[in-house]
Amino acid sequence: MSLVSVRDVHKYFGELHVLKGIDLTINAGEVVSIIGRSGSGKSTLLRCMNGLESYEQGAIILDGMEVSTDEFQVRKLSHSVGMVFQSFNLFPHLTVGENIMLAPKLIKRVGKEEAKKLAMEVLEKVGLADKFGQYPEKLSGGQQQRVAIARSLAMKPKVLLCDEITSALDPELVGDVLKVLEQLAAEGMTLILVTHEMNFARDVGDRVVFMHQGKVHETGDAKEVLANPQTPELQQFIGAVL
Amino acid sequence: MSQFTDWDILRNLLLAARWTVLLSLIAFAGGSIVGLLLTFMRISRRRSLIWVTRIYIEIFQGTPLLMQLFIAFFGLGLLGIDVSAWTAAALALTLFSSAFLSDIWRGCVESLPKGQWEASRCLGLNYLQTMRYIILPQALRIAIPPTVGFSVQIVKGTALASIIGFVELTKAGTMLNNATFEPFKVFALVALIYFLLCYPLSRASQYLEERLNVAGKRA
């Protein structure tokens, strides 16, 4: 049974046709890397999957729910899908703990004690249990991003969307974040990543989706596709990023 | 006519300055309440509400405060509503301040990164929850320095109320000048009192801006 199913999705920004009929099925437990040049529509596709962007045609079904930008629907979806951003987007006026506990308290009506337990649990998972009372500004970029991951995990999503989450980090901090993702993948979390980390896509990912000019240009088993790209566009892309 | 000593002049000016302070406080409080309402209307997603507030703000920012005072005082009088100079001044200054304050506050809300909204949305927070827990607490911090800064404009704006006959600092100055024929002395004192009211406010605004900005940069 597929967890995410994208069927013939089209998306326009005004006149610009950014997604030109995307078909994609992702099963529970899969780690899928979406790669491609900037402007190929990969981030837009990801943002359509949890209702941050609307789409004009086609359908996206996630965990049995039709994805739309309707507020009520997005709220329902938040129980099944989490998202981590390139720019972390932690709430700077709240401590790490408060950042994590806010949504479980408000959305899932989790009690105070339980919320705290939950927060410690997810913080331990990302290796930052000692930062519970700190403000985000005191943390390094890599730590902030791990808190953002922990914040998403606290809602116990079935799928985690990662939008270039290591692109804003200093190179020496990337590893810690990727390690967390690797661990999540090992635990069976479904991950959909827009990424430029080809090594990660190959070593940890199950599948690679190469997007080009608003279409899925080439897709398949991660190791195979990256080792033997079939289309000249993907060959060129891999040549450019490696 | 020279029965006014310097002390008499100063004493009368200081007594009148109480009304300047009171009128400023009322205008600031009233302006904040109406301004807050307008801010919420402006950042709502209802097109009609946004238009109403835009028109309101354009009118009050695009016409002189003096005309607003005249309309509040004489205009309402013509309509058969009897307003005192005090009521007219408080009303006009409240509406005038609300237009500027709401514009300042809207800017503060909109200056927050879009990512704050998006992260809230992804976590399942609805519009009101996002406002209450994420946007407003942050916007409030940014809003404090410019709000305090604008209060200086309100204090100075109260001087215009003298023209419709409200006896505050400026009106008292004019009256004392008529009695003493010492314009330089009287109006220098008037200006000094305004300065002493406004200077601490603008210093406070600068201080808050520096302090909150440092905190903001760490964020």
Side-chain angles (χ1 to χ4, degrees):
Chain A
M1 172 66 190
S2 68
L3 187 55
V4 184
S5 152
V6 179
R7 269 180 262 141
D8 193 33
V9 163
H10 289 258
K11 159 91 187 162
Y12 298 81
F13 282 124
E15 293 283 286
L16 200 65
H17 197 175
V18 279
L19 296 180
K20 301 171 184 167
I22 304 286
D23 284 289
L24 192 60
T25 305
I26 293 162
N27 294 317
E30 256 193 307
V31 176
V32 178
S33 310
I34 305 175
I35 60 173
R37 283 177 211 290
S38 66
S40 59
K42 52 195 194 311
S43 274
T44 306
L45 173 62
L46 199 72
R47 289 163 62 85
C48 283
M49 289 183 189
N50 69 342
L52 271 187
E53 295 280 358
S54 60
Y55 49 92
E56 278 74 38
Q57 205 183 317
I60 300 178
I61 310 292
L62 190 146
D63 196 19
M65 291 175 275
E66 171 140 24
V67 178
S68 79
T69 53
D70 171 70
E71 190 175 273
F72 180 74
Q73 195 67 8
V74 170
R75 216 172 150 79
K76 247 174 70 186
L77 281 163
S78 72
H79 291 259
S80 298
V81 56
M83 188 168 203
V84 186
F85 301 86
Q86 181 177 354
S87 52
F88 325 141
N89 295 346
L90 291 178
F91 306 130
H93 62 300
L94 301 178
T95 63
V96 165
E98 288 164 346
N99 261 280
I100 297 172
M101 294 186 294
L102 185 70
K105 274 186 189 165
L106 287 178
I107 313 301
K108 293 192 163 173
R109 301 273 161 219
V110 171
K112 218 175 175 176
E113 285 305 306
E114 211 189 324
K116 187 162 182 197
K117 223 180 83 198
L118 181 66
M120 287 310 289
E121 209 177 288
V122 289
L123 276 175
E124 256 156 45
K125 200 167 260 192
V126 300
L128 294 172
D130 56 327
K131 305 293 185 198
F132 184 87
Q134 294 269 26
Y135 281 92
E137 67 201 27
K138 299 276 185 200
L139 308 181
S140 73
Q143 291 172 331
Q144 289 192 39
Q145 193 60 294
R146 279 143 71 197
V147 171
I149 294 172
R151 181 173 71 178
S152 291
L153 292 179
M155 288 297 281
K156 304 205 185 301
K158 293 182 179 162
V159 50
L160 195 60
L161 309 178
C162 301
D163 192 3
E164 300 200 31
I165 67 170
T166 56
S167 301
L169 297 177
D170 291 336
E172 75 272 19
L173 302 174
V174 169
D176 289 340
V177 172
L178 292 182
K179 220 179 289 167
V180 170
L181 287 186
E182 193 175 340
Q183 182 198 330
L184 288 176
E187 288 169 10
M189 170 68 80
T190 312
L191 296 173
I192 307 176
L193 324 123
V194 168
T195 185
H196 295 294
E197 298 291 334
M198 292 303 145
N199 292 331
F200 182 86
R202 186 184 53 224
D203 300 338
V204 181
D206 296 309
R207 189 146 49 109
V208 159
V209 174
F210 173 61
M211 287 191 64
H212 185 67
Q213 294 180 346
K215 286 182 178 155
V216 175
H217 200 74
E218 192 172 336
T219 176
D221 175 78
K223 287 174 188 61
E224 211 168 293
V225 168
L226 291 176
N228 297 305
Q230 299 299 306
T231 58
E233 287 82 2
L234 181 54
Q235 283 164 10
Q236 209 184 13
F237 178 75
I238 291 174
V241 292
L242 280 185
Chain B
M1 291 299 265
S2 59
Q3 68 268 43
F4 278 91
T5 62
D6 287 354
W7 167 242
D8 284 328
I9 294 174
L10 185 61
R11 192 170 52 93
N12 279 299
L13 287 177
L14 286 174
L15 287 173
R18 291 178 310 172
W19 296 105
T20 293
V21 171
L22 189 64
L23 185 59
S24 301
L25 287 174
I26 286 176
F28 187 74
S32 297
I33 293 166
V34 180
L36 202 61
L37 196 75
L38 287 168
T39 307
F40 278 115
M41 287 165 69
R42 186 74 195 273
I43 59 182
S44 74
R45 286 169 299 181
R46 287 273 177 87
R47 221 160 262 242
S48 54
L49 288 182
I50 293 171
W51 269 105
V52 170
T53 49
R54 277 176 86 163
I55 291 167
Y56 178 97
I57 290 167
E58 290 299 333
I59 288 174
F60 282 95
Q61 289 192 350
T63 57
L65 175 58
L66 186 57
M67 295 307 125
Q68 295 162 23
L69 276 165
F70 282 163
I71 289 169
F73 188 58
F74 301 116
L76 290 179
L78 280 180
L79 291 176
I81 307 165
D82 196 23
V83 285
S84 64
W86 172 236
T87 315
L91 180 69
L93 276 161
T94 290
L95 299 181
F96 169 81
S97 321
S98 70
F100 281 90
L101 286 173
S102 76
D103 220 24
I104 291 171
W105 295 341
R106 174 190 56 83
C108 294
V109 168
E110 287 177 357
S111 72
L112 292 175
K114 216 177 78 197
Q116 295 287 307
W117 286 96
E118 288 186 346
S120 307
R121 197 169 151 86
C122 290
L123 288 169
L125 272 62
N126 64 27
Y127 179 78
L128 286 177
Q129 288 170 331
T130 305
M131 270 295 167
R132 160 141 187 237
Y133 294 100
I134 308 302
I135 303 300
L136 290 182
Q138 294 184 67
L140 194 70
R141 211 167 78 161
I142 315 172
I144 290 170
T147 304
V148 175
F150 180 71
S151 65
V152 171
Q153 303 301 320
I154 298 180
V155 174
K156 292 191 289 185
T158 58
L160 288 174
S162 64
I163 297 177
I164 56 171
F166 179 65
V167 186
E168 38 63 76
L169 185 52
T170 302
K171 182 74 180 172
T174 335
M175 287 156 71
L176 284 165
N177 177 49
N178 289 342
T180 61
F181 300 114
E182 287 189 286
F184 186 76
K185 185 190 282 176
V186 170
F187 288 117
L189 280 172
V190 168
L192 182 68
I193 296 173
Y194 275 116
F195 184 77
L196 292 177
L197 288 174
C198 293
Y199 184 66
L201 288 172
S202 57
R203 278 316 297 264
S205 168
Q206 283 164 20
Y207 170 76
L208 288 167
E209 183 162 358
E210 272 162 33
R211 237 198 67 195
L212 295 174
N213 225 348
V214 171
K217 263 182 205 138
R218 280 190 285 128

